[in-house]
């Protein structure tokens, strides 16, 4: 997980160049390979990797050309397969992918939600390929991860990217707690008391009333805090009055959650720009942020970068065990249909599966090589602690197709900048005991049926996001909450409830 999905996980924009150079300077003319008998040369099977996995987050400009060629030759020699990386244009990866899928362009594998592509006939089921060439992939992922890859007929459409995880913890400046003689908060009242102290007592010591008690966003307040107010957390729920599945807005406690967030916002406890675009890294650099409830990597990846510029002792720690009136504050992210898929256009699907499977062999060695080439090494004998061997990454990961918890939780960087992120992944991300799980977390809803049976589904989704922001920021008074619920019904919420309930009852196990 080099960055957010996902959904999970908000990836960095990729470069607009196809890095497909080979020894002849043309990625479509592979180097010939001799047969074992010394007979005529034969052309290796080419596989075309659409690199939208997020692997290039570590180096968005891509590899040094000769290092990319070195890695291509490595796979040609090791597997007898010639990989060709297609790096999509900046800011339009999905658009470019759809154009390629609908044209004569070669594209064999990419990352996507399989249910978005299976119904369109763009990808193929993988059962037989996994049985024949993907045994290491099958062993690497737990059974529940495969459930998200499988349709009602038992067809497996993708290779998992992740599994249920905790993505929105609450981080707090523990050095500020010590400075103000405060204990780590264990409930909502104590959490609010800490925010109040951060706001009023100038823990950053700049003499100004500009401390930001909490940096967050819309997903942050829902996934990190809503569980303390709603029995099922940030989740749909079953209304016992009619046994129908309903959205969180109709659950007991939602109005209290919204009112509390609005109160915190008006008191200045929540960053004023939380629900518009802002740069978390630049905000952290100001040494004014007391807490964060955003996606975990907003701290694990960003804070270590700027820590040397902050006062000595600056530290963020996770608030563990905190609860509200309805229990745990956090809601875990369920598994998803995000996966590596193989297209119907693939001329050598067996080679694609062999290539992916290779990165699941000898975990984490092969997956690390796919990510960093030869620019890494183990620091001990345990095949767990690693470090990068060069200050600058030369191979960016264009051929990496094994991103996900099955490989990324098997190593940790012995590096002050990367260690915090690795420690979160290996020690915290899969600890589901600290969070609530959505009640329909195992349901893969049929998106086509949702669109067909809820014509206004997108309007309802938009209302749910936009109006929540309005209530929290005070643009709409809490007194209009009942009017908001009526708005949802006018937008087709009855149809929403009927269709989601139908699918939930049909698909639940």
């Amino acid at each position: 997980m080099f960055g957010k999905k996902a959904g999970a996980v908000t990836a960095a924009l990729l470069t607009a160049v196809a890095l497909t150079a080979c020894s002849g300077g043309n990625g479509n003319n592979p180097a010939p390979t001799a047969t074992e008998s010394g007979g005529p040369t034969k052309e290796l099977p080419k596989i075309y990797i659409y690199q939208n996995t997020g692997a290039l987050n570590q180096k968005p400009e891509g590899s040094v050309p000769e290092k990319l060629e070195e890695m291509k030759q490595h796979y040609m020699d090791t597997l007898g397969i010639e990989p060709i990386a297609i790096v999509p244009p900046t800011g339009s990866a999905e658009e470019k992918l759809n154009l390629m899928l609908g044209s004569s362009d070669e594209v064999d594998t990419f990352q996507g939600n399989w249910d978005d592509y299976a119904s369109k006939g763009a990808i193929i089921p993988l059962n037989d390929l996994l049985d024949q060439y993907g045994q290491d992939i099958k062993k690497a992922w737990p059974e529940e991860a495969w459930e998200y890859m499988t349709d009602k007929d038992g067809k497996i459409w993708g290779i998992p990217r992740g599994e249920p995880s905790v993505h929105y913890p609450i981080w707090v400046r523990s050095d500020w707690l010590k400075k103000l003689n405060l204990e780590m908060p264990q409930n909502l009242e104590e959490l609010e008391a800490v925010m109040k102290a951060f706001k009023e007592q100038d823990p950053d010591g700049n003499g100004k009333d500009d401390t930001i008690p909490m940096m967050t966003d819309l997903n942050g307040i829902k996934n990190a805090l809503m569980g303390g107010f709603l029995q099922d957390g940030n989740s749909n729920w079953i209304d016992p009055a009619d046994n129908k599945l309903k959205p969180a807005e109709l659950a007991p406690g939602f109005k209290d959650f919204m009112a509390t967030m609005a109160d915190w916002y008006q008191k200045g406890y929540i960053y004023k720009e939380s629900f518009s675009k802002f740069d978390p890294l630049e905000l952290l650099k100001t040494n004014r942020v007391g807490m964060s409830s955003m996606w975990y990597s907003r701290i694990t990846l960003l804070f270590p970068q700027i820590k040397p510029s902050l006062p000595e002792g600056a530290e963020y720690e996770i608030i563990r065990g905190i609860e509200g009136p309805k229990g745990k504050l956090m809601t875990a992210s369920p598994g998803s249909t995000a996966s590596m898929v193989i297209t119907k256009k693939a001329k050598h699907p067996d080679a694609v599966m062999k290539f992916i499977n290779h990165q699941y062999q000898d975990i984490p060695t092969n997956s690390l090589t796919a990510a960093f080439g030869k620019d890494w090494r183990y620091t001990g004998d345990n095949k767990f602690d690693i470090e990068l061997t060069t200050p600058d990454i030369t191979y960016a990961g264009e051929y990496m197709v094994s991103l996900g918890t099955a490989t990324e939780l098997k190593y940790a960087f012995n590096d002050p900048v990367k260690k915090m992120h690795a420690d979160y992944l290996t020690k915290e991300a899969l600890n589901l005991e600290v969070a609530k799980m959505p009640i329909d977390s195992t349901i893969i809803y049929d998106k086509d049926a949702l669109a067909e049976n809820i014509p206004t589904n997108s309007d309802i989704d938009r209302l749910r996001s936009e109006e929540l922001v309005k209530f929290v920021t005070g643009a709409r008074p809490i007194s209009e909450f009942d009017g908001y619920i009526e708005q949802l019904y006018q937008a087709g919420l009855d149809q929403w409830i009927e269709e989601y309930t139908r699918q939930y009852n049909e698909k639940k196990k």
Side-chain angles (χ1 to χ4, degrees):
M1 295 182 190
F2 292 97
K4 183 177 176 180
K5 96 172 195 257
V9 105
T10 90
L13 299 179
L14 307 180
T15 57
V17 60
L19 298 172
T20 58
C22 69
S23 58
N26 185 340
N28 294 319
N29 296 311
T33 301
T35 62
E36 291 184 2
S37 63
T41 60
K42 63 178 181 179
E43 185 176 298
L44 300 181
K46 303 185 192 72
I47 64 169
Y48 295 82
I49 301 166
Y50 192 80
Q51 187 46 264
N52 66 337
T53 67
L56 295 183
N57 287 352
Q58 59 187 331
K59 187 177 171 64
E61 68 272 24
S63 297
V64 175
E66 56 266 28
K67 292 297 182 178
L68 183 66
E69 174 60 23
E70 181 180 279
M71 283 303 297
K72 173 184 279 192
Q73 193 63 50
H74 164 74
Y75 287 116
M76 291 169 70
D77 294 340
T78 303
L79 299 175
I81 297 169
E82 180 184 3
I84 299 173
I86 304 166
V87 180
T90 301
S92 56
E94 185 175 354
E95 179 183 355
K96 174 67 173 177
L97 174 61
N98 290 332
L99 288 173
M100 294 187 72
L101 290 172
S103 71
S104 59
D105 292 334
E106 300 278 5
V107 56
D108 294 344
T109 185
F110 63 90
Q111 178 181 273
N113 294 94
W114 67 257
D115 50 334
D116 289 339
Y117 294 94
S119 62
K120 298 178 176 66
I123 61 175
I124 60 174
L126 306 180
N127 302 62
D128 292 341
L129 289 170
L130 284 165
D131 287 341
Q132 295 180 60
Y133 309 110
Q135 288 298 323
D136 295 289
I137 300 171
K138 292 176 70 174
K139 289 186 296 184
W141 289 99
E143 182 178 347
E144 55 266 27
W146 289 109
E147 292 178 359
Y148 292 98
M149 301 295 105
T150 307
D151 68 12
K152 59 181 175 28
D153 298 320
K155 292 179 180 179
I156 300 173
W157 291 95
I159 296 168
R161 169 68 196 261
E163 51 193 303
S165 304
V166 180
H167 289 137
Y168 291 88
I170 302 176
W171 302 87
V172 63
R173 279 287 293 268
S174 54
D175 57 314
W176 287 4
L177 292 179
K178 293 176 184 177
K179 183 177 181 178
L180 301 181
N181 295 314
L182 298 169
E183 298 293 329
M184 190 70 75
Q186 295 300 306
N187 55 50
L188 278 171
E189 290 76 17
E190 293 176 5
L191 182 70
E192 183 170 355
V194 168
M195 289 192 290
K196 184 175 188 293
F198 284 176
K199 179 64 178 171
E200 297 176 353
Q201 298 184 38
D202 190 29
D204 54 67
N206 69 356
K208 300 177 181 179
D209 181 18
D210 62 355
T211 305
I212 300 166
M214 181 172 287
M215 175 179 76
T216 190
D217 56 15
L218 184 58
N219 286 327
I221 64 169
K222 291 194 295 185
N223 289 292
L225 298 164
M226 192 184 289
F229 299 85
L230 278 69
Q231 190 65 43
D232 295 299
N234 182 27
S235 169
N236 297 324
W237 64 293
I238 297 294
D239 187 344
D242 54 14
N243 290 319
K244 292 183 178 180
L245 189 77
K246 297 180 180 179
E249 285 82 351
L250 301 187
F254 185 86
K255 185 176 180 180
D256 292 337
F257 160 72
M258 200 163 52
T260 299
M261 296 301 104
D263 181 55
W264 288 359
Y265 186 87
Q266 294 304 317
K267 290 176 177 176
Y269 298 165
I270 293 176
Y271 180 49
K272 291 297 183 183
E273 304 301 321
S274 287
F275 308 109
S276 57
K277 290 184 178 180
F278 69 95
D279 188 332
L281 178 61
E282 292 302 315
L283 197 62
L284 289 170
K285 285 180 180 178
T286 66
N287 188 42
R288 295 161 47 213
V289 179
M291 299 185 199
S292 171
S293 62
M294 299 179 73
W295 183 266
Y296 70 97
S297 65
R298 295 300 180 267
I299 294 297
T300 62
L301 287 179
L302 302 183
F303 172 65
Q305 297 180 39
I306 54 98
K307 183 177 179 180
S309 66
L310 299 181
E312 184 177 356
E315 198 64 68
Y316 282 98
E317 293 184 20
I318 294 174
I319 302 177
R320 296 177 177 86
I322 188 167
E323 296 196 356
K326 294 294 180 65
K328 301 169 185 174
L329 261 62
M330 290 189 294
T331 306
S333 304
S336 74
T337 57
S339 55
M340 289 302 298
V341 298
I342 298 179
T343 72
K344 191 175 182 178
K345 303 172 69 171
K347 295 177 180 178
H348 305 285
D350 55 336
V352 178
M353 185 61 73
K354 288 177 184 177
F355 187 86
I356 298 174
N357 188 73
H358 179 259
Q359 296 185 22
Y360 284 89
Q361 293 174 348
D362 193 20
I363 292 174
T365 301
N366 288 359
S367 61
L368 285 166
T369 299
F372 302 109
K374 298 181 180 180
D375 295 339
W376 70 278
R377 67 187 174 197
Y378 291 113
T379 59
D381 298 327
N382 58 2
K383 290 183 66 174
F384 184 80
D385 295 307
I386 70 165
E387 65 181 5
L388 298 181
T389 56
T390 60
D392 298 313
I393 294 171
T394 57
Y395 163 70
E398 283 88 347
Y399 302 130
M400 189 175 189
V401 289
S402 58
L403 284 168
T405 54
T407 56
E408 292 176 8
L409 300 192
K410 305 302 182 182
Y411 64 88
F413 280 97
N414 187 14
D415 174 281
V417 173
K418 295 181 179 292
K419 188 178 187 326
M420 188 178 193
H421 185 69
D423 284 349
Y424 185 87
L425 292 177
T426 56
K427 299 174 184 178
E428 308 285 350
L430 299 185
N431 180 18
L432 301 180
E433 296 298 320
V434 302
K436 295 178 176 180
M437 182 61 69
I439 63 166
D440 52 355
S441 62
T442 61
I443 304 298
I444 301 173
Y445 291 102
D446 184 332
K447 295 176 183 176
D448 291 335
L450 291 176
E452 180 180 351
N453 297 320
I454 316 171
T456 57
N457 196 30
S458 60
D459 294 328
I460 294 173
D461 287 342
R462 177 182 52 78
L463 273 173
R464 294 177 69 185
S465 296
E466 291 180 355
E467 298 309 305
L468 176 55
V469 170
K470 289 179 183 179
F471 280 118
V472 173
T473 60
R476 187 171 186 179
I478 299 297
S479 59
E480 293 185 10
F481 180 74
D482 290 343
Y484 162 57
I485 298 301
E486 180 60 31
Q487 240 183 309
L488 289 174
Y489 277 106
Q490 290 174 357
L493 189 60
D494 277 328
Q495 291 173 303
W496 189 103
I497 292 170
E498 292 302 318
E499 179 59 20
Y500 270 88
T501 300
R502 182 190 70 79
Q503 290 199 34
Y504 175 79
N505 290 332
E506 179 183 287
K507 297 171 182 287
K508 69 179 179 180
K509 299 178 180 180

